[in-house]
Amino acid sequence: MTRRWGEVVWGEMWEGAIALSRERLVGRGCYNAGLMLMKRIIPCLDVHEGRVVKGVNFLNLRDAGDPVEIARLYDEAGADELVFLDITASHEGRDITLDMVGRVAEQCFMPFTVGGGIRSIDDVTRLIQAGAEKVSINTAAVIDPDIVAQTAKRFGRCATVVNIDPKRVTAQDFIEHFKESGREVPSEGGWRMADGGWLPTEALSDPSAIAHPPSAMLFEVHTHGGRKPTGLEAMAYANRVVELGAGEIILTSMDADGTKDGYDIEITGTVADAVDVPVVASGGCGSPAHMCEVFEKTRADAVLAASIFHYGEYTIAQTKQTLADAGVAVRLAV
């Protein structure tokens, strides 16, 4: 039977794969609040014109570039969800990606999110209609935050994910980026520093108002893979998109991404404590031990990982068993 968006038996909730904390989601209507808290393990795949462009080391895989086949294998392996990151630039490529989403929805029963290249509510609508459970909005939400509200209004909070890419910058650099962005001065009167201190808006005109050492950092939201600063402080921005209707945040630390040295505990903990929606930790995973650490030290609800699964360093089953042995509640394969 083809699974379509919205045709979910809430009590079963895909066998609990995306059950989340009761205190966060009671009253939101997204999930069954009676389900046990489960941490989710989510592989992420880069897709270009409907084909997976990062290798996946699965035995007997017939076509390493076929997202439907890969989704099936991850489903069988016990992954809780998948994220497809569409890196296609052309409109023609996006049509191919829509076809991919439709085929995955028709043949796989695991929840999946599609992100990358979303520029308008029309893009969101096409992806949801093709069969994606959720869409992950990144740059478009920075340029025009109203797309978050539009998506939540049309498809609900559960389908509305915002991907935030924070990076540490000095207070002085942040001030320069903020001035260049032309953004309105925040009504709060300043920005939160990474160390919990405060950078007052007076620093915009008086550098001496920066009562921190030159090495003091802020978490600034970036786009374009961490290359483009936005003048937005990450915690304030996270709160803002949640106010607009985001039902989940994928938080990808640009400092940790690709290092395989572990998730960024500091920024993950800061954002997860600040918002009342699920936060998915992303960037830096090199082993299941790193997942245990971020679950132990922060309120992250899920983790995103790529190469440790794609290249066969660890299986989903091994990873979940390691987490279960450490006392983390996960959905184990039957």
Side-chain angles (χ1 to χ4, degrees), residues 215-253:
S215 59
M217 298 287 180
L218 283 83
F219 293 113
E220 183 178 7
V221 177
H222 284 63
T223 59
H224 300 81
R227 296 185 300 275
K228 187 173 180 179
T230 64
L232 292 167
E233 188 274 318
M235 191 175 73
Y237 179 65
N239 277 303
R240 177 57 178 151
V241 296
V242 170
E243 290 173 0
L244 289 169
E248 183 170 85
I249 289 173
I250 296 177
L251 188 71
T252 304
S253 168

Side-chain angles (χ1 to χ4, degrees), residues 22-329:
R22 178 179 305 176
E23 67 272 17
R24 286 188 171 192
L25 295 178
V26 165
R28 290 195 175 274
C30 293
Y31 301 99
N32 184 334
L35 288 173
M36 177 184 179
L37 168 63
M38 293 284 182
K39 301 297 187 180
R40 292 171 288 151
I41 311 303
I42 308 174
C44 182
L45 298 165
D46 286 348
V47 176
H48 177 64
E49 295 187 348
R51 306 284 287 181
V52 174
V53 294
K54 280 187 178 179
V56 180
N57 188 16
F58 272 115
L59 192 64
N60 299 322
L61 184 63
R62 292 191 297 274
D63 181 353
D66 180 9
V68 178
E69 183 72 8
I70 291 172
R72 283 175 176 167
L73 290 171
Y74 270 128
D75 195 6
E76 292 171 2
D80 297 307
E81 298 183 30
L82 277 181
V83 168
F84 291 102
L85 181 61
D86 180 14
I87 60 175
T88 301
S90 69
H91 292 296
E92 293 82 2
R94 176 48 60 90
D95 289 339
I96 297 172
T97 299
L98 289 171
D99 177 69
M100 175 210 77
V101 170
R103 291 188 295 119
V104 171
E106 287 175 354
Q107 300 185 44
C108 299
F109 289 84
M110 178 173 44
F112 67 97
T113 301
V114 180
I118 295 172
R119 299 176 179 86
S120 69
I121 188 63
D122 290 338
D123 290 335
V124 171
T125 299
R126 284 190 285 268
L127 287 167
I128 294 292
Q129 288 178 341
E133 274 77 23
K134 296 183 279 189
V135 293
S136 181
I137 309 167
N138 192 329
T139 302
V142 170
I143 296 172
D144 181 13
D146 191 53
I147 190 175
V148 179
Q150 293 174 10
T151 301
K153 181 177 181 180
R154 185 172 295 187
F155 300 108
R157 280 183 175 267
C158 298
T160 309
V161 180
V162 173
N163 197 317
I164 301 176
D165 297 341
K167 187 176 183 179
R168 288 172 177 81
V169 300
T170 65
Q172 187 60 54
D173 284 345
F174 179 81
I175 289 295
E176 293 303 316
H177 298 161
F178 181 83
K179 289 178 179 178
E180 292 168 1
S181 72
R183 300 187 185 282
E184 293 183 5
V185 176
S187 58
E188 297 84 357
W191 304 270
R192 186 186 188 279
M193 303 288 290
D195 62 4
W198 191 250
L199 178 64
T201 54
E202 287 80 5
L204 291 169
S205 56
D206 180 10
S208 66
I210 303 176
H212 296 271
S215 59
M217 298 287 180
L218 283 83
F219 293 113
E220 183 178 7
V221 177
H222 284 63
T223 59
H224 300 81
R227 296 185 300 275
K228 187 173 180 179
T230 64
L232 292 167
E233 188 274 318
M235 191 175 73
Y237 179 65
N239 277 303
R240 177 57 178 151
V241 296
V242 170
E243 290 173 0
L244 289 169
E248 183 170 85
I249 289 173
I250 296 177
L251 188 71
T252 304
S253 168
M254 292 291 97
D255 297 307
D257 194 42
T259 66
K260 300 185 75 172
D261 291 333
Y263 295 98
D264 192 324
I265 301 299
E266 187 176 23
I267 182 59
T268 304
T270 296
V271 173
D273 286 343
V275 299
D276 62 353
V277 301
V279 172
V280 181
S282 173
C285 184
S287 72
H290 292 151
M291 297 181 183
C292 291
E293 180 186 30
V294 77
F295 285 139
E296 176 186 349
K297 295 182 178 179
T298 78
R299 296 181 66 203
D301 298 271
V303 288
L304 210 67
S307 60
I308 69 164
F309 296 138
H310 299 343
Y311 301 117
E313 298 170 27
Y314 299 92
T315 67
I316 298 290
Q318 289 171 335
T319 298
K320 287 194 169 187
Q321 191 60 59
T322 298
L323 290 167
D325 291 343
V328 178

